[in-house]
Amino acid sequence: QVQLVESGGGSVQPGGSLRLACAASGSTLDYSGIGWFRQAPAKEREGVSCIRYSDGFTYIAPSVKGRFTVSRDKGKNTVYLQMSSLEPEDTAVYYCATIQICSDRSGLGYGPFETWGQGTQVTVSA
């Protein structure tokens, strides 16, 4: 069974950068890739990025396109979310999760049995 451990959150000023990491352990056979989600207080969870394991395809949500990138280190079985030009609106708890779909057409797709990381807080404020 896969387990996901996130790291890299913190506080940063507007315009700053952070890199989140999602280290996966266990089998990769039951999912198509890793997605990054975020949830701010009183807001719905939002999928922001994903990477598909089969071919390395990456998806970035329009709300963060041009500022966020996603990558994978196969040797470390770790997926990274590089966040730049951060804005106060990016403040949220960020989660990584296994996903079944990662495409331009569908964005991120996941089911009820996905594995989620514990979440990491990102705070952007002056």
Side-chain angles (χ1 to χ4, degrees):
Q1 186 174 354
V2 64
Q3 291 184 322
L4 303 177
V5 178
E6 300 166 23
S7 60
S11 296
V12 65
Q13 292 185 341
S17 299
L18 283 173
R19 189 179 77 161
L20 307 183
C22 177
S25 61
S27 174
T28 62
L29 297 179
D30 295 329
Y31 57 99
S32 298
I34 293 291
W36 285 98
F37 301 80
R38 65 185 183 184
Q39 189 160 22
K43 291 190 177 180
E44 292 189 356
R45 183 168 56 198
E46 174 190 13
V48 296
S49 182
C50 59
I51 186 165
R52 193 164 63 201
Y53 279 5
S54 61
D55 58 1
F57 172 84
T58 62
Y59 168 83
I60 306 293
S63 60
V64 299
K65 201 163 191 175
R67 302 189 295 119
F68 289 14
T69 59
V70 63
S71 62
R72 180 190 180 198
D73 184 326
K74 290 183 180 180
K76 295 181 179 180
N77 207 11
T78 298
V79 173
Y80 300 97
L81 183 69
Q82 178 68 50
M83 306 183 294
S84 303
S85 301
L86 284 162
E87 304 168 352
E89 293 74 23
D90 296 316
T91 295
V93 178
Y94 285 71
Y95 300 89
C96 64
T98 58
I99 56 168
Q100 304 304 320
I101 296 173
C102 179
S103 69
D104 275 332
R105 180 177 180 180
S106 303
L108 295 79
Y110 60 97
F113 303 109
E114 306 296 349
T115 297
W116 292 80
Q118 80 281 10
T120 186
Q121 177 71 45
V122 171
T123 302
V124 185
S125 67

